[in-house]
Amino acid sequence: AQSVSQHNHHVILSEAASLELGCNYSYGGTVNLFWYVQYPGQHLQLLLKYFSGDPLVKGIKGFEAEFIKSKFSFNLRKPSVQWSDTAEYFCAVNAYSGAGSYQLTFGKGTKLSVIP
Amino acid sequence: ETGVTQTPRHLVMGMTNKKSLKCEQHLGHNAMYWYKQSAKKPLELMFVYSLEERVENNSVPSRFSPECPNSSHLFLHLHTLQPEDSALYLCASSHGQGANTEAFFGQGTRLTVV
């Protein structure tokens, strides 16, 4: 079964600092990769996704992520964070789980706190 | 708004109670999911319904009982829960269940078992 590891539980940054959140997955086959964000008191929403093609994916609000197949990684980046980026970020992998179905597996999440 | 609505938003129940969580999606999707979100743990997939049929049950205790009467509605019936079942329960829906599936989530029901 696939698994997803997010290295940092809580990251604290000052505004304008650069962000990189790590995500590694374990699965030997083809995967589709996602980053979801959950702002305080709100629902999980999609930040960006990778299915195929250019491994550098751009999402909403200035976020991007790079898929490095050899490292089984899909790290999330933003050059300059804002206070409004304070949220919890979840990496997820969608992979074949057998019997014709796919399973979306999430990491534990990384809480980002941005200090004004 | 995501098009996925969950009610109630908050629920406190005793261990001997029976209650139900409701999820409704207005996106025309044909797959629906229940996830459990506990502190410091990954989102756990509990149940998957595709075309109103259960396709996956990840070894969830029988005190959780899902029901999918149609493609727009999903319920989670709860009975004789334990305090460790306290968590945020998230409903999601998607169009199909393939490789390129993107899930849309509701805001969740915060469940506290006392």
Side-chain angles (χ1 to χ4, degrees):
Chain A
Q2 61 264 33
S3 65
V4 180
S5 297
Q6 291 185 241
H7 314 300
N8 307 100
H9 177 60
H10 192 184
V11 172
I12 303 172
L13 294 174
S14 298
E15 273 193 316
S18 64
L19 170 72
E20 181 159 4
L21 302 182
C23 173
N24 286 90
Y25 65 92
S26 65
Y27 184 74
T30 302
V31 294
N32 295 308
L33 300 156
F34 304 81
W35 275 98
Y36 281 84
V37 60
Q38 188 173 31
Y39 297 102
Q42 295 191 28
H43 59 271
L44 270 166
Q45 53 188 288
L46 185 68
L47 200 55
L48 48 78
K49 60 189 177 187
Y50 171 79
F51 291 163
S52 63
D54 189 344
L56 184 62
V57 179
K58 295 194 184 298
I60 60 171
K61 304 185 181 184
F63 286 90
E64 64 178 32
E66 184 175 14
F67 171 50
I68 303 179
K69 190 174 180 179
S70 60
K71 295 184 178 179
F72 298 89
S73 70
F74 190 55
N75 293 354
L76 181 70
R77 299 195 292 249
K78 186 171 183 178
S80 175
V81 294
Q82 300 173 309
W83 177 78
S84 57
D85 294 324
T86 295
E88 191 155 13
Y89 294 80
F90 295 87
C91 181
V93 169
N94 195 22
Y96 187 66
S97 59
S101 66
Y102 288 77
Q103 181 164 319
L104 188 61
T105 302
F106 285 83
K108 291 186 181 182
T110 298
K111 189 172 290 187
L112 172 66
S113 299
V114 180
I115 302 168
Chain B
E1 285 299 321
T2 65
V4 182
T5 304
Q6 290 185 243
T7 54
R9 293 290 308 279
H10 300 271
L11 177 62
V12 179
M13 60 185 287
M15 289 190 283
T16 58
N17 290 160
K18 287 185 181 181
K19 296 286 183 184
S20 296
L21 309 185
K22 180 182 176 183
C23 177
E24 184 174 359
Q25 59 96 0
H26 307 279
L27 300 168
H29 290 163
N30 56 12
M32 296 187 77
Y33 312 77
W34 280 116
Y35 282 87
K36 177 182 178 183
Q37 186 178 20
S38 305
K40 298 182 182 179
K41 292 177 70 175
L43 272 162
E44 301 170 58
L45 179 64
M46 300 175 72
F47 299 104
V48 179
Y49 275 82
S50 180
L51 298 172
E52 300 156 43
E53 287 193 14
R54 188 191 301 181
V55 295
E56 193 150 350
N57 171 359
N58 282 355
S59 303
V60 178
S62 59
R63 57 186 184 268
F64 295 92
S65 173
E67 180 190 0
C68 187
N70 55 61
S71 59
S72 298
H73 293 86
L74 184 66
F75 294 89
L76 188 62
H77 303 300
L78 316 170
H79 64 98
T80 59
L81 295 192
Q82 305 298 312
E84 60 264 28
D85 296 322
S86 298
L88 182 68
Y89 288 84
L90 294 171
C91 174
S93 71
S94 67
H95 185 68
Q97 215 208 334
N100 297 347
T101 296
E102 175 184 338
F104 291 77
F105 287 83
Q107 291 188 288
T109 295
R110 174 70 63 187
L111 174 67
T112 304
V113 181
V114 298

